[in-house]
Amino acid sequence: MTQLVWNGLFVGSFYALIALGYSMVYGIIKLLNFAHGDLYMLGAFIGYAMLSSVGIIPASMSITALLIVLLLTMIISGGIGVGIERLAYRPLRGSPRLAVLITAVGASFTLEYGVSAIAGPNPRVFPVRLQGQTFDVLGARVSAPQIVLMVIAVLLMLSLNSYIQRTSMGRAMRAIALDPKGSLLMGINVNKVITWTFFIGSALAGAAGVMAGAYYGKIDFLMGFIIGLKAFTAAVIGGIGNIKGAMLGGLLLGLLEAFGSQWLGGEWRDVFTFAVLIAFLTLKPTGLLGERVTERV
Amino acid sequence: MKLRIPKVLAVGAVAAALMATTGCGGILSGGDGNASGDSGPIKIAAVIPLSGSSAPTGTYMKNGMQMAIDEINAKGGVLGRQLQFDPEDEACDPTQAAAAANKAVSNGAVVSVGGYCSGATLPTLPIFAKANIPMIIPAANSQELVNQKLPNVFLINGTGAQQSAAAVKFMAKDGVKSVALVDDNTSYSKDIASQTKKDLEAAGGIKVALATSVTAGESDYSSVVHDITGANPDMVYWTGYYQEGGLIINQLKAAGFKGKIMVADGSVDASLIEIAGGTNAEGVFATMTQTPDTIKGAETWIADYTKKFGSAPGPYSTQSYDAVRLAAEAITKAGSTDGDKIIAALNAIDGFELFSGPLKFTPEHTLSSGGFQILVVKDGKFTLHDDLS
């Protein structure tokens, strides 16, 4: 039982990190950024490229090296997220919602097959692998790398939350989410805020990518697809557009999967998970913590 | 509605006329040097994965086929004509496979020698059957391919049922008392898992502690790993492909699973060991048809292959090589490139030497014995453990 809870929370923290980007972008420009899952994949590949170009890293240094790579990857994948927004989404701002949505799907495919063309279609094995001691916590097997990754994920989420709540940029983001036209009239540089939103969201996805690569060991160019869908589900469950909702939704989705698999068997896990998504969309479309939304994609 | 009927009829008539003309075109074009005619090169098509996650195996297959084609052409070809090799990429994807098969048919293929992913091979069957092109499938081996009962389809790899039989035989031999079966919900994988379950239940003695599926393409398989450690079987039999297989082995070991692990032929790839990480894959068993490494007397062949392509042959390069040789043999015996005659020649083949032994097709167009053996990962490599004979 405690093992299931721990497994669920661990997977859920990955979902939450990616769901945050989905939710922030949706909250501010009402766009479902389908390329977001691919930024997770891109993060993993950027981390892979950096780590393998360094050469052999001694085991004692691997955590330090990983943290440096994590930081650099966040900056690069954030930059790529901003670039995508500039090239693919900004020219379409003000056009029908569907046009932007389809562009997002296009951006997703461009990233996937771009990486496949450059890095090859075969899976790669991450040069640094986090493997460590396991502890017994209340009957659950918990490993040291899992704890490290959980701590990183929680720190990232907490700092994002305080950033949104405490800084003027965060206030501007919330203002635009409420009323973009009004914010523009009040002298907020809307484009700058949107750029910054994409940067943060993409950086978080990139971080999740590096963490997944280092923990699971295998990366491939389609790895962002399913997790992107799951993160979207998490964002909807938590209330899309709501930061705390995305975190809560991610963790909850992880738990749903763990228990769904236990109760119904592995082959029914995804059926169960996505049935919950449908139930949420029909019964409480605003999600757990979401506000009333009048318009939806 | 009444007014529309003539329209529908008209469209139908036009379509029928078009079909008739293209049909005629096909027949007429035979005379002007097209491959399906009596002169020019004989086209051998292969719909195989050259991109995507199965691309490494697809490349082994393509090289094996190319090698056979070059050897046959160097000896003067077949019926006095050269063979022309036409590989088409299907990326292990059913949609792309169907498109690739249609392309191969319109290019004038005489025989198809492709087929690796069963899920992607299945939709190509009716396309080749319609064009009456014989298919010699070197690798794909789902029972579903056999169940279509198409006269033009021949399988020279052991079938899923034969693989399950080998797995069950080894489990009994190894003293395993309970088994967990895990598949990835694809046609190939599900086929082996469900057949193994049936065989185990029929034979009795070995308990199926758990039969479950995972979603391919994810990274975290902790929920299935948790189910397995909960059921605590003597052996886990994974019937999917190597990417997920590697991750599951890694996560099983991390969760402290002490039992045995066995994988099916889709997971026999060096990447499995790499993805599993460290020494996690040591001692993992595999049900597999013969690979170049485990065939006695294949040393010269391996040396030739390595010289030609600059790398050692991998899984299914021998079967693919044999598929082309078999195609050439059948065309020679038929004395023609006509589909029906080649199919008749394939049915009549008795004792043609393949790597897996002398060939004679069963009435179902499969090998009479699957030739499955058990490999084990030793010092980071798949090596022969038990040939089950």
Side-chain angles (χ1 to χ4, degrees):
Chain A
M1 182 72 178
T2 39
Q3 184 73 59
L4 282 180
V5 172
W6 172 250
N7 285 349
L9 289 179
F10 180 69
V11 186
S13 59
F14 279 95
Y15 293 155
L17 271 183
I18 302 166
L20 280 173
Y22 260 113
S23 210
M24 283 173 70
V25 167
Y26 184 84
I28 288 176
I29 55 170
K30 303 281 176 284
L31 160 71
L32 282 179
N33 182 11
F34 274 111
H36 194 67
D38 296 301
L39 283 157
Y40 158 85
M41 175 274 293
L42 217 53
F45 271 88
I46 294 167
Y48 171 83
M50 280 197 268
L51 284 170
S52 30
S53 64
V54 177
I56 298 158
I57 299 156
S60 54
M61 291 289 289
S62 63
I63 292 278
T64 331
L66 215 56
L67 282 177
I68 297 168
V69 166
L70 187 76
L71 216 64
L72 289 174
T73 304
M74 285 177 74
I75 295 168
I76 298 174
S77 60
I80 293 171
V82 169
I84 294 171
E85 195 268 332
R86 257 296 151 70
L87 287 173
Y89 304 149
R90 189 172 296 181
L92 288 169
R93 199 162 308 144
S95 17
R97 203 75 82 65
L98 198 59
V100 196
L101 189 75
I102 292 167
T103 310
V105 175
S108 162
F109 279 122
T110 311
L111 289 179
E112 283 169 10
Y113 291 94
V115 169
S116 159
I118 295 166
N122 301 331
R124 300 295 181 97
V125 176
F126 227 62
V128 174
R129 195 112 168 213
L130 287 176
Q131 304 276 11
Q133 264 182 295
T134 50
F135 313 97
D136 192 76
V137 181
L138 302 170
R141 275 178 82 92
V142 174
S143 73
Q146 284 182 321
I147 295 174
V148 171
L149 293 183
M150 275 287 259
V151 168
I152 295 176
V154 170
L155 281 180
L156 285 174
M157 287 189 246
L158 287 181
S159 46
L160 175 72
N161 195 44
S162 64
Y163 181 82
I164 302 258
Q165 296 302 329
R166 305 247 166 90
T167 62
S168 59
M169 182 58 88
R171 199 173 305 127
M173 284 176 183
R174 284 183 285 143
I176 295 177
L178 280 178
D179 185 351
K181 273 223 180 83
S183 322
L184 190 65
L185 294 174
M186 297 310 285
I188 295 174
N189 186 342
V190 174
N191 274 340
K192 194 176 149 205
V193 177
I194 291 175
T195 301
W196 200 231
T197 309
F198 267 87
F199 182 86
I200 296 174
S202 309
L204 289 177
V210 175
M211 285 158 60
Y215 181 71
Y216 296 112
K218 187 210 75 169
I219 60 171
D220 69 274
F221 74 100
L222 284 178
M223 67 190 278
F225 177 68
I226 291 186
I227 202 161
L229 281 184
K230 296 258 169 93
F232 169 60
T233 311
V236 172
I237 290 178
I240 195 154
N242 183 302
I243 300 291
K244 284 187 188 123
M247 299 182 202
L248 185 68
L251 297 179
L252 200 65
L253 184 69
L255 289 173
L256 278 175
E257 285 193 354
F259 281 94
S261 167
Q262 170 79 3
W263 290 332
L264 303 167
E267 59 271 48
W268 289 97
R269 188 196 69 177
D270 287 356
V271 178
F272 175 71
T273 310
F274 287 100
V276 171
L277 172 70
I278 295 170
F280 258 106
L281 284 174
T282 41
L283 299 175
K284 196 172 188 316
T286 54
L288 288 175
L289 301 181
E291 293 105 35
R292 193 178 57 83
V293 182
T294 46
E295 221 181 336
R296 233 156 229 292
V297 179
Chain B
M1 277 312 282
K2 261 185 185 168
L3 277 172
R4 284 202 186 147
I5 291 170
K7 226 182 206 170
V8 173
L9 280 177
V11 171
V14 170
L18 272 174
M19 266 146 85
T21 32
T22 42
C24 280
I27 295 159
L28 287 175
S29 65
D32 54 56
N34 190 294
S36 54
D38 297 331
S39 58
I42 298 175
K43 288 191 180 165
I44 308 283
V47 178
I48 44 178
L50 297 172
S51 63
S53 63
S54 299
T57 316
T59 312
Y60 292 137
M61 293 176 70
K62 187 179 132 204
N63 290 349
M65 293 168 186
Q66 188 68 53
M67 196 165 152
I69 298 251
D70 292 350
E71 283 178 16
I72 293 164
N73 281 342
K75 283 183 197 151
V78 175
L79 305 179
R81 293 159 65 182
Q82 294 280 296
L83 295 182
Q84 188 184 330
F85 186 35
D86 178 20
E88 301 281 354
D89 182 22
E90 44 105 308
C92 207
D93 172 62
T95 330
Q96 281 199 49
N102 277 317
K103 202 172 147 207
V105 170
S106 63
N107 279 352
V110 172
V111 179
S112 154
V113 293
Y116 170 68
C117 297
S118 298
T121 308
L122 206 51
T124 69
L125 261 49
I127 296 169
F128 284 115
K130 217 172 195 175
N132 203 24
I133 294 172
M135 291 178 82
I136 302 170
I137 301 179
N141 59 1
S142 169
Q143 195 62 33
E144 275 187 58
L145 301 171
V146 182
N147 292 349
Q148 306 296 314
K149 295 195 169 55
L150 290 169
N152 67 321
V153 176
F154 295 83
L155 277 70
I156 60 165
N157 188 13
T159 60
Q162 288 165 338
Q163 174 151 214
S164 322
V168 170
K169 194 172 171 190
F170 179 69
M171 287 167 192
K173 207 171 165 184
D174 206 45
V176 171
K177 292 274 169 282
S178 60
V179 181
L181 302 168
V182 188
D183 64 68
D184 70 359
N185 259 329
T186 61
S187 157
Y188 149 81
S189 173
K190 197 116 199 139
D191 178 41
I192 301 173
S194 55
Q195 189 62 42
T196 308
K197 188 165 181 241
K198 254 188 246 160
D199 288 1
L200 284 172
E201 279 161 0
I206 301 173
K207 202 179 91 195
V208 179
L210 178 74
T212 188
S213 309
V214 300
T215 309
E218 287 188 297
S219 300
D220 194 286
Y221 291 111
S222 58
S223 47
V224 76
V225 164
H226 182 261
D227 293 347
I228 293 171
T229 47
N232 199 19
D234 293 344
M235 181 185 266
V236 176
Y237 188 32
W238 161 248
T239 61
Y241 294 94
Y242 66 87
Q243 296 205 22
E244 291 78 25
L247 291 172
I248 289 173
I249 293 171
N250 177 290
Q251 290 168 30
L252 273 173
K253 295 281 173 176
F257 180 70
K258 294 275 186 290
K260 293 166 184 164
I261 301 171
M262 184 154 80
V263 297
D265 57 348
S267 283
V268 178
D269 190 294
S271 308
L272 176 93
I273 299 161
E274 216 184 321
I275 293 169
T279 55
N280 285 335
E282 283 297 299
V284 167
F285 296 111
T287 46
M288 179 67 189
T289 46
Q290 289 175 317
T291 63
D293 301 341
T294 62
I295 297 172
K296 290 182 193 87
E299 291 82 8
T300 23
W301 189 84
I302 294 173
D304 287 351
Y305 181 104
T306 314
K307 200 174 142 209
K308 193 173 168 86
F309 300 107
S311 63
Y316 298 113
S317 39
T318 52
Q319 282 93 336
S320 306
Y321 174 82
D322 279 342
V324 173
R325 283 178 51 239
L326 179 61
E329 168 77 7
I331 298 170
T332 314
K333 282 269 159 66
S336 147
T337 52
D338 179 65
D340 288 329
K341 288 184 184 156
I342 300 173
I343 291 169
L346 280 168
N347 275 317
I349 272 181
D350 190 355
F352 182 70
E353 276 299 328
L354 299 184
F355 274 106
S356 56
L359 172 74
K360 180 166 172 50
F361 284 112
T362 62
E364 290 187 306
H365 293 179
T366 58
L367 295 183
S368 35
S369 75
F372 277 97
Q373 47 193 12
I374 305 295
L375 307 183
V376 69
V377 178
K378 210 169 136 192
D379 302 325
K381 266 181 82 174
F382 280 102
T383 49
L384 183 62
H385 177 69
D386 187 342
D387 61 8
L388 292 179
S389 57

